[in-house]
């Protein structure tokens, strides 16, 4: 059974960089798209970005300048870094696997992690 | 850029049917696949519809979805409402650059 589990610090100081890791079990990272989504305080779901197993990444334009994503094939993990954190970034961060069809169309998040809560302190 | 607009809340009685709309603006909703997710607070979201109208294994056929190109919208219908259906429901699609876009979410209350 394929599972993804998020990990990272529950508390980050404002202006610092948030680093989260998603560990994949039951499947290899190779040839798959892996995604980060968040739900900030009082708001809905927001797509942060995705990364392919080769390291090619795409980010939400509204966050692009602050987002860095990476993969570690040997550890079967992928990671998210979000810089210049502020209170607006407080929320729950989910990692997951995003499906892509043979016609190259994406078809959503097929596998979700349970999420990890991030709070920002001043 | 594509924006997906959902009603903030809908409600229905047990056994009845509710429909949640997802209206696209700034882009054509039929260009990319639309998904629907169920999200209960404190839990991971679950996919209930993908590729516009497909249901993952284990999702009951009480959940159905469709696309209306004339109104540039998608809709999710839930029939035979049960109290366990109470949750937030999100539509999701992609803009022309394949960036993911979520609707604002709809809170379903089963009265």
């Amino acid at each position: 059974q394929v599972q993804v589990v998020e990990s990272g610090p529950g508390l980050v100081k404002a202006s610092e960089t948030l680093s989260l890791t998603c560990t994949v079990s039951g499947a290899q990272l190779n040839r798959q798209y892996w995604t980060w989504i968040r739900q900030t305080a009082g708001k809905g779901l927001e797509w942060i970005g995705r990364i392919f197993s080769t390291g090619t990444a795409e980010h939400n334009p509204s966050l692009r300048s602050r987002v860095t994503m990476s993969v570690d094939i040997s550890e079967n993990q992928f990671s998210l870094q979000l810089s210049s954190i502020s209170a607006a970034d407080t929320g729950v961060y989910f990692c997951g696997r995003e499906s892509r069809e043979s016609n190259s169309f994406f078809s959503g998040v097929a596998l979700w992690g349970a999420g990890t809560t991030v709070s920002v302190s001043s | 850029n594509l924006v997906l607009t959902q009603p903030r809340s809908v409600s229905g009685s047990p056994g009845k049917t509710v429909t949640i709309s997802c209206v696209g603006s700034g882009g054509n909703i039929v260009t990319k696949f639309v998904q629907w997710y169920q999200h209960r607070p404190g839990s991971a979201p679950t996919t209930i519809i993908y590729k516009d109208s497909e249901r993952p294994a284990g999702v009951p056929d009480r959940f159905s979805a469709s696309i209306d190109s004339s109104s540039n919208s998608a809709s999710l219908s839930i029939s035979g409402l049960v109290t366990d259906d109470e949750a937030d429901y999100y539509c999701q699609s992609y803009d022309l650059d394949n960036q993911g876009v979520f609707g604002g979410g709809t809170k379903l209350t089963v009265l």
Side-chain angles (χ1 to χ4, degrees):
Chain A
Q1 183 180 355
V2 184
Q3 290 185 317
V4 291
V5 178
E6 306 88 348
S7 59
L11 187 64
V12 183
K13 286 187 178 179
S15 80
E16 295 189 345
T17 295
L18 167 68
S19 294
L20 298 176
T21 297
C22 185
T23 301
V24 181
S25 60
Q28 297 297 310
L29 283 180
N30 288 339
R31 301 182 183 178
Q32 305 271 12
Y33 290 87
W34 305 95
T35 188
W36 289 97
I37 289 158
R38 71 179 184 176
Q39 181 174 33
T40 50
K43 295 190 177 180
L45 299 175
E46 180 181 26
W47 188 83
I48 297 172
R50 76 166 69 87
I51 188 164
F52 190 56
S53 53
T54 56
T56 301
E58 298 171 273
H59 309 137
N60 188 323
S62 68
L63 300 169
R64 180 173 286 155
S65 62
R66 298 197 292 134
V67 171
T68 303
M69 301 174 73
S70 60
V71 294
D72 186 337
I73 299 294
S74 63
E75 295 292 333
N76 225 38
Q77 295 175 332
F78 60 102
S79 299
L80 168 71
Q81 290 188 314
L82 185 63
S83 63
S84 303
I85 285 286
S86 72
D89 296 309
T90 293
V92 181
Y93 287 71
F94 300 96
C95 68
R97 184 176 65 189
E98 198 164 5
S99 297
R100 192 173 193 182
E101 304 301 315
S102 56
N103 59 6
S104 296
F105 283 91
F106 287 96
S107 55
V109 181
L111 176 68
W112 293 81
T116 187
T117 299
V118 173
S119 298
V120 180
S121 67
S122 55
Chain B
N1 287 344
L2 180 66
V3 174
L4 301 176
T5 301
Q6 300 179 234
R8 280 188 165 267
S9 64
V10 297
S11 62
S13 302
K16 298 300 185 182
T17 299
V18 294
T19 299
I20 299 172
S21 62
C22 173
V23 180
S25 59
N28 193 335
I29 205 169
V30 302
T31 304
K32 307 285 185 178
F33 288 129
V34 175
Q35 283 61 238
W36 290 89
Y37 305 102
Q38 180 188 67
H39 187 205
R40 297 188 180 92
S43 300
T46 60
T47 305
I48 53 174
I49 296 288
Y50 69 105
K51 289 171 64 177
D52 296 342
S53 59
E54 304 268 339
R55 280 188 307 275
V59 175
D61 60 8
R62 300 187 299 107
F63 294 87
S64 63
S66 61
I67 303 292
D68 183 349
S69 58
S70 64
S71 59
N72 203 35
S73 66
S75 62
L76 171 71
S77 291
I78 309 171
S79 62
L81 278 174
V82 298
T83 54
D84 195 48
D85 294 333
E86 277 206 348
D88 296 321
Y89 291 84
Y90 292 88
C91 61
Q92 178 264 319
S93 188
Y94 299 93
D95 65 18
L96 288 178
D97 295 327
N98 284 323
Q99 312 280 343
V101 178
F102 282 93
T106 299
K107 181 178 180 63
L108 169 62
T109 302
V110 180
L111 303 169

